[in-house]
Each structure stands twice: as structure tokens, then as C-alpha cells.
Amino acid sequence: MIRRFTVLLPSLLFGISCIDPLSYEIPLAGSYPIVIAGQITDQPGPYEVILTRSFDTKSNVVLKQSVKAQEVVISDNMGEKETLQEVAPGVYRTQTTGIRGQVGRVYQLEVTTLDGKHYLSAPDTLFAGSTVDSLYYNFNIELDAEGVQQAGFDIFFNATNHAELKGGSLWKFKGTFKSTATPENADITRSGCHPIGAKCNFVPVCSGLVNIATPAWPPMYERQGPCTCCDCWFPLHTNTPLISDEEFLREGRFVQIKASRIPLTSWVFQHKVYIQMEAHTLSRQAFRFWKAIRDQKIDVNNLFQPISGRIPTAFTQTMGTPDPVQGIFYAS
């Protein structure tokens, strides 16, 4: 298979610049790594472990992404363990009343695939002592990339990493907003039939409106129930991991860290916006993993992108035909 990359080569001659494409072939990789992602915390479960197969986003070859396992087990250094159950393709989950992370214990994940390959995560200690002290916002107007003024709310927080924390913190921003939809106003020429028995309803049945016209066209609606799809909830999230960097540290505290920006639009602020910040403690190895992810995402659009290296993996293969593995299982 041929993958084509374009490299822009600027050339200056008598004040005139031109751009020439440079294309070259890169062979298709023989084996894409299995990717294992999971976490255990001191909060009640269930916890999930996700098994996938990485793939080439530019490839025309369709690859099955989920990976089925023979066994997925979480264990600690005190002898407690639990075998996870598959709840969806490639998704394995603990019981709600099953294993729960405890501060000071060391956790590992074992994955055995159907073809007998066995993967073991590096031991990870669950540390205590990370807090979010305050969460606040600042309203302002900024110029976007096209020079247009955009109003919005910058979300900031202050946090503390206590002395006993050996690695760092991963802060998770979770936002949710509610919007009211009007499915009864759907374009009936595009929305389709939405049959009720042998008759077309033309608007979604969840609207609570039923077409009582005979024949069905033109429709005449009568409300026969409440709308069950009018209140919609949408998530807000950050695209880059928020991790504790020493540059933000002031006398033992992390001050005025920007978590996200929420644009002021009628869609997002039709009702209210709910925001939550979580502080997850990290061991040194987990911190290195998330820092590598963060650095690559920040630098991806930088013309002078520094070499950030490979994303470290927390897994080793102990049985089976050698196969590359990526991912992390960590306690926080």
C-alpha cells in the first residue's frame, strides 16, 4: 500500500516564493500494536479496561479495532484480585461491589488474549494527597484565528499537591450543558417516514406528536404524549491532558491553571452549564505517560515541533508470539 505525505518546501527567488510537493512511499506496517487502557481509583467502581488495536488513520485498509480477551484481571499486592467481565466489544468491567482501590496498595493488570498472548502492566502504587481547592471563571472577549471577536468564559482552578505525592496530578475537567430540542420542527422533506403502524408520522415519534391525517399527507399532528427527546445533554471536555507542571507551582500550590474555555453561545447557555474538576494522583511512571501525551498534543501544530519521543508503555508481554503493545494501567 502507498501512503503519501506532503512536505512543503519554501523557495525564495527574486522575491517570489513557490511551494513544491514532495511525495514518497511508506510501506504498511506489518503489525499494529495492541492498546490497553485502564485505571483503578479509591472511588467506588466499576472500573473499565479497554482493549483495542491501533491503526493507520490514513490507510484504506479497514482494521478491526476492538480486541477480545480470554481473561482480564486486576490484582493488588495484598492478594485481592478480580476477573473483569466483557460488557461490549473490547470493553471489560469490574463489578460495582468488586475490587476497589486503596491508598498505599500496588496494582497490576493482566491481559490474556484468545491467541495466548499475555500482557502484564508495571506495578502502580495508589497515592493520596491531591486536591482541587477552588474553581472559578473569567468572562472575556478574544479574537479567534480569523480575527472575529468571540465571547466566552475561561475556567480556572487552584490545586494542591501534598508533599507525600511522589509523581504528580492529572486534573480532569468535566462539563455538561442542557439544550432543548424541537423535533416537531424537523424538515419533513428530509426526516423520513417515522412510521406508526402503516402510516408515516414524518416527525420523530419521541416528539409526542402523532399524525392523525388520513391520508397521511399533508400531516396533521395531535399531541398524544410528552416529548421524550427534547431535553438533550451534551458533554464538554478538554483536548489536552491537564497535568501538574512545576512552572505553575507557587509555594506548594498550583495557582490559576486554565482548565478550559466555554464559548458564550445560545446553544451552550440555553439553560445552565455544570462544571466539575477531579484531581487524580499519579505515580512517576503514570505522570511520564500523560506528560508525553500532553507534549505531543501541544506541539502537533508547531512548525518547529520538538522531538517529544515515543509514548512510553506500561506493559510487557510475558507469553506468546511477540506483538507490540502500548497503553497504561494506573492507580489514582
Side-chain angles (χ1 to χ4, degrees):
M1 190 202 79
I2 297 177
R3 292 173 52 195
R4 300 192 181 277
F5 288 74
T6 300
V7 179
L8 303 183
L9 303 177
S11 175
L12 299 178
L13 181 62
F14 301 109
I16 301 176
S17 64
C18 62
I19 299 176
D20 296 325
L22 174 63
S23 298
Y24 55 94
E25 298 181 4
I26 296 180
L28 184 66
S31 179
Y32 289 99
I34 182 176
V35 181
I36 306 173
Q39 177 189 18
I40 186 171
T41 76
D42 62 339
Q43 300 300 301
Y47 314 111
E48 283 188 350
V49 171
I50 301 175
L51 310 179
T52 57
R53 179 73 65 178
S54 65
F55 62 96
D56 179 4
T57 58
K58 305 259 186 196
S59 173
N60 293 325
V61 179
V62 178
L63 299 175
K64 184 178 180 181
Q65 296 183 38
S66 60
V67 174
K68 190 173 182 63
Q70 178 180 332
E71 188 176 55
V72 178
V73 178
I74 295 176
S75 61
D76 65 19
N77 60 330
M78 301 301 291
E80 185 178 4
K81 63 172 54 180
E82 181 178 352
T83 300
L84 283 65
Q85 302 300 314
E86 186 177 25
V87 296
V91 179
Y92 294 81
R93 185 180 296 164
T94 63
Q95 299 295 321
T96 304
T97 57
I99 191 171
R100 178 174 174 176
Q102 296 186 43
V103 173
R105 292 195 180 185
V106 183
Y107 293 89
Q108 278 189 294
L109 175 70
E110 296 180 70
V111 175
T112 305
T113 58
L114 293 180
D115 55 1
K117 295 174 183 176
H118 183 264
Y119 302 94
L120 183 65
S121 71
D124 205 59
T125 302
L126 198 159
F127 292 105
S130 182
T131 59
V132 174
D133 303 323
S134 58
L135 179 65
Y136 54 98
Y137 62 85
N138 178 35
F139 174 79
N140 58 37
I141 298 177
E142 294 182 349
L143 296 180
D144 62 15
E146 298 178 356
V148 179
Q149 290 186 338
Q150 299 289 348
F153 295 89
D154 289 329
I155 310 300
F156 296 93
F157 67 96
N158 300 328
T160 300
N161 273 6
H162 298 291
E164 63 268 25
L165 188 57
K166 304 300 182 182
S169 286
L170 171 69
W171 296 301
K172 292 187 178 181
F173 169 90
K174 296 181 180 180
T176 306
F177 68 91
K178 173 185 174 182
S179 286
T180 301
T182 54
E184 67 273 13
N185 294 333
D187 185 350
I188 60 177
T189 63
R190 297 184 179 183
S191 62
C193 180
H194 300 285
I196 296 181
K199 183 185 292 187
C200 286
N201 205 54
F202 297 110
V203 298
V205 178
C206 63
S207 66
L209 299 175
V210 176
N211 180 15
I212 60 174
T214 303
W217 186 267
M220 183 171 61
Y221 295 105
E222 180 181 271
R223 180 162 295 283
Q224 296 188 358
C227 178
T228 59
C229 56
C230 289
D231 289 336
C232 304
W233 302 86
F234 299 91
L236 296 168
H237 56 84
T238 56
N239 294 321
T240 303
L242 296 167
I243 60 173
S244 54
D245 265 347
E246 295 300 323
E247 61 186 280
F248 299 114
L249 194 60
R250 300 180 190 173
E251 297 181 353
R253 299 182 66 241
F254 294 90
V255 179
Q256 201 173 357
I257 302 176
K258 185 175 179 179
S260 184
R261 179 173 174 83
I262 302 176
L264 179 59
T265 66
S266 58
W267 176 253
V268 175
F269 285 93
Q270 189 175 1
H271 296 280
K272 294 182 179 181
V273 176
Y274 174 82
I275 297 173
Q276 176 180 317
M277 290 295 302
E278 293 180 353
H280 291 245
T281 59
L282 298 177
S283 64
R284 287 193 178 97
Q285 65 184 7
F287 179 83
R288 287 194 297 269
F289 176 88
W290 286 112
K291 186 177 186 301
I293 296 287
R294 193 277 310 271
D295 291 347
Q296 285 203 359
K297 292 186 72 68
I298 288 177
D299 295 330
V300 68
N301 294 320
N302 185 353
L303 179 62
F304 303 101
Q305 179 180 0
I307 299 175
S308 51
R310 293 172 58 90
I311 302 297
T313 179
F315 288 91
T316 55
Q317 183 178 352
T318 60
M319 291 177 56
T321 305
D323 198 15
V325 57
Q326 288 289 331
I328 189 171
F329 176 77
Y330 65 104
S332 68

